[in-house]
Amino acid sequence: MEFSVKSGSPEKQRSACIVAGVYEPRRLSPVAEQLDKISEGYISALLRRGDLEGKPGQVLLLHHVPNVLSERVLLVGCGKERDLDERQYRQIIEKTIATLNDTGSMEAVCFLPELHVKARGTYWKVRQAVETTLDSLYTFNQLKSNPSEVRRPLRRLVFNVSTRRELALGEKAIAHGVAISTGVQYAKDLANLPANICNPVYLAEQAETLAEHPHVKFSKVDEAQMQQLGMNSYLAVGRGSANESVMSVVEYCPPGLESQPPIVLVGKGLTFDSGGISIKPSAGMDEMKYDMGGAASVFGTMQALIQLELPLHVIGVLAGCENMPSGHAYRPGDVLTTMSGQTVEVLNTDAEGRLVLCDALTYVERYEPDVVIDIATLTGACIIALGHQTSGLMTPHNPLAHEILSAAEQSGDKTWRLPLGDEYDEQLQSNFADFANVGGRPAGSITAGCFLSHFTKKYTWAHLDIAGTAWQSGRAKGATGRPVPLLTQFLLNKAGIELED
Ligand code: BES
Ligand code: MN
Ligand code: ZN
């Protein structure tokens, strides 16, 4: 897809399609008004006849509108002007893209960024339009012998902004939106691959490709090295699997920033989570190939960061591992000595993510990080708490919580803070080790966060539980690429990049 911005009037456009909004009830947006004028009332006559009410989701495709140079005009329902919010704006864009892609317009000039969305400016509207477009056009066809193809797919989209002054904003919005979407797409592709292809070694091979960029270095920690480092907790989880555990480290550092304390992103990379000896029920178990969604989002965010060439020192860790039952597998009751020296009693081998992450989080102490964020499909309880809309955020550090919540608000990639604290931590008490790896049913996401907090005392840290947001189930089953938009926004802010001006 190719995107550009323009500032012009609709009658001068010679394109396959012009996209213009119509509000409810039958109220023309300024562009639709202009088109109506040059066509001598053609559009308002259609609306009077009842062809389009302007409800959200409605579309009307017109051919050869009198005096209009473009071949088609696509009228898109936008609902009541006062009610137009962010979610509705994205839905309108989605509907527009689906219609254009299905009706053979290979290019279009889209005037929808001129709509009024509460408290949002041109930059936001163009960037969201780019991200929504690329998100909705994504398909995963790598493993199909005869993928169905669109005959005349949408190839070029021009966004029209109201004034020439906004062109630079629009261009920046496109650059950021495309970089984020590229990251999202990489994360989706990696996560959608099944576990018989995407195992920990494959994850590492993908991470290594990032080092083609001159400012990126790749290294990995294999099982032998983990042994030497005392990462017994991480090793225990992978012991039941025939696939080796591998932790990948991707370091992005533009010249001159070597001494800047890095931002470290640690992704849970369970390429398959069967539950191990505490095996999961079989219904829906295929979806546990997505248990590496955290690592996939680190991979995608590093892609976006490289494309944006932000002046930041960032280290991405992909904690690759597979949790399987076997004669070699770790068992309930086992006591593990973690890399930190703290001991853990395993009460459930299905609470494996925290066992892998705790050693990865101890490992990254060596970088003396500015901040560490771990991203993990960690608990089913997070889906119960926040559903599929919002990721869980846990951190003892208020300023970092605010930074992440702002990035969520700016990017539209939602997160919500859950508390941590000693009153929850008590649930992890064990008679046989420093802590148990599970804290019972109440507050399951929080006790998982508490568990990790014992391994992150040496730096500023936040935990994102993406169990509900990393993929969709049902008919539209597939990875979402979240939280790449959130993490990339966090990095844009860290780099001091201004958005709306
Ligand atoms: N990867 C799962 C969490 C998960 C489950 C994410 C379903 C998305 C959908 C994690 O490893 C796990 O199994 N967690 C257990 C923890 C429990 C044993 C304390 C869970 O949530 O049931
Ligand atoms: Mn599990
Ligand atoms: Zn898991």
Side-chain angles (χ1 to χ4, degrees):
M1 267 293 283
E2 235 183 88
F3 296 99
S4 56
V5 272
K6 209 186 214 168
S7 179
S9 52
E11 67 266 28
K12 302 233 176 71
Q13 314 288 341
R14 199 182 277 281
S15 162
C17 191
I18 293 182
V19 182
V22 175
Y23 294 112
E24 200 183 341
R26 299 180 301 274
R27 278 199 36 240
L28 300 178
S29 66
V31 202
E33 192 88 57
Q34 274 171 277
L35 289 167
D36 190 48
K37 236 180 234 132
I38 49 174
S39 65
E40 290 158 17
Y42 183 81
I43 291 173
S44 48
L46 280 176
L47 298 194
R48 253 179 280 120
R49 268 184 262 142
D51 286 44
L52 185 79
E53 190 57 31
K55 286 192 192 305
Q58 276 187 321
V59 287
L60 184 61
L61 186 60
L62 308 173
H63 292 261
H64 307 297
V65 175
N67 310 325
V68 172
L69 297 176
S70 293
E71 291 161 34
R72 307 171 181 81
V73 170
L74 178 64
L75 298 177
V76 187
C78 298
K80 298 215 172 67
E81 187 168 11
R82 268 185 306 129
D83 295 347
L84 182 54
D85 61 10
E86 299 172 6
R87 195 164 90 93
Q88 211 158 77
Y89 177 76
R90 276 191 289 263
Q91 284 170 344
I92 291 165
I93 298 285
E94 233 169 84
K95 183 73 192 187
T96 300
I97 298 307
T99 309
L100 291 172
N101 206 43
D102 284 350
T103 53
S105 298
M106 297 184 77
E107 39 130 22
V109 181
C110 175
F111 282 77
L112 297 176
E114 294 189 16
L115 299 172
H116 288 283
V117 181
K118 264 173 251 161
R120 294 297 190 181
T122 299
Y123 169 88
W124 185 92
K125 288 183 281 186
V126 173
R127 184 173 126 187
Q128 287 293 325
V130 169
E131 290 182 40
T132 305
T133 298
L134 293 174
D135 193 58
S136 62
L137 291 178
Y138 175 86
T139 51
F140 184 79
N141 286 331
Q142 292 177 38
L143 306 176
K144 291 192 174 176
S145 345
N146 292 307
S148 60
E149 269 171 48
V150 178
R151 209 172 56 82
R152 286 170 59 82
L154 181 62
R155 284 275 156 73
R156 252 169 54 81
L157 202 49
V158 181
F159 295 112
N160 204 87
V161 294
S162 326
T163 61
R164 302 198 58 80
R165 216 168 37 77
E166 288 161 294
L167 287 173
L169 270 183
E171 266 152 27
K172 179 162 67 172
I174 289 174
H176 292 176
V178 167
I180 291 169
S181 299
T182 305
V184 163
Q185 199 177 312
Y186 273 102
K188 284 181 181 178
D189 278 348
L190 195 53
N192 281 329
L193 283 172
N196 63 321
I197 295 171
C198 179
N199 55 35
V201 167
Y202 184 92
L203 268 190
E205 285 166 359
Q206 293 308 301
E208 189 165 11
T209 64
L210 293 169
E212 285 162 15
H213 189 278
H215 304 158
V216 178
K217 283 206 269 297
F218 169 84
S219 63
K220 64 185 173 197
V221 179
D222 61 19
E223 287 190 355
Q225 289 163 298
M226 287 186 196
Q227 193 94 48
Q228 283 182 339
L229 290 160
M231 299 173 78
N232 302 307
S233 176
Y234 194 141
L235 281 170
V237 174
R239 192 143 286 148
S241 168
N243 290 311
E244 265 229 34
S245 298
V246 191
M247 185 172 81
S248 310
V249 180
V250 179
E251 179 166 9
Y252 169 84
C253 190
L257 296 184
E258 294 79 7
S259 61
Q260 191 183 82
I263 297 165
V264 179
L265 305 174
V266 179
K268 172 176 173 182
L270 265 288
T271 55
F272 192 70
D273 176 15
S274 68
I277 297 299
S278 314
I279 198 162
K280 287 179 181 295
S282 45
M285 209 204 270
D286 63 292
E287 295 187 8
M288 280 300 120
K289 71 176 184 180
Y290 289 122
D291 211 17
M292 37 61 76
S297 76
V298 171
F299 179 67
T301 302
M302 297 306 285
Q303 293 274 6
L305 170 71
I306 289 166
Q307 188 164 340
L308 291 166
E309 299 210 296
L310 296 181
L312 293 171
H313 185 188
V314 182
I315 296 177
V317 174
L318 285 71
C321 188
E322 186 178 52
N323 187 19
M324 294 290 270
S326 88
H328 299 286
Y330 77 134
R331 327 156 185 76
D334 285 2
V335 173
L336 312 173
T337 302
T338 63
M339 184 180 179
S340 72
Q342 301 174 100
T343 57
V344 181
E345 182 188 12
V346 179
L347 290 178
N348 190 322
T349 63
D350 197 12
E352 83 299 336
R354 62 197 80 182
L355 297 174
V356 167
L357 286 174
C358 71
D359 279 345
L361 288 167
T362 302
Y363 181 88
V364 302
E365 283 175 4
R366 68 187 53 212
Y367 301 117
E368 298 179 14
D370 172 40
V371 46
V372 178
I373 303 176
D374 78 75
I375 306 100
T377 48
L378 203 62
T379 63
C382 197
I383 311 175
I384 305 304
L386 297 172
H388 297 287
Q389 294 81 352
T390 306
S391 305
L393 165 65
M394 281 149 266
T395 174
H397 195 75
N398 292 334
L400 179 57
H402 288 133
E403 285 181 63
I404 295 174
L405 290 166
S406 303
E409 207 275 325
Q410 291 166 286
S411 63
D413 190 354
K414 292 185 189 333
T415 183
W416 195 258
R417 191 177 182 184
L418 300 173
L420 294 171
D422 293 344
E423 58 275 51
Y424 293 103
D425 196 55
E426 280 176 10
Q427 289 173 225
L428 296 172
Q429 273 168 13
S430 159
N431 289 348
F432 305 101
D434 298 342
F435 355 91
N437 78 328
V438 295
R441 296 247 305 156
S445 304
I446 294 172
T447 53
C450 287
F451 181 92
L452 297 178
S453 74
H454 289 286
F455 302 87
T456 57
K457 301 286 186 218
K458 301 226 168 101
Y459 45 70
T460 306
W461 158 78
H463 159 59
L464 285 170
D465 193 330
I466 58 165
T469 53
W471 77 90
Q472 283 182 283
S473 309
R475 248 181 56 76
K477 191 187 288 183
T480 61
R482 289 177 69 183
V484 170
L486 167 65
L487 295 170
T488 309
Q489 185 62 55
F490 177 80
L491 295 177
L492 282 166
N493 295 346
K494 280 282 187 198
I497 308 283
E498 301 278 351
L499 305 187
E500 285 288 349
D501 51 40

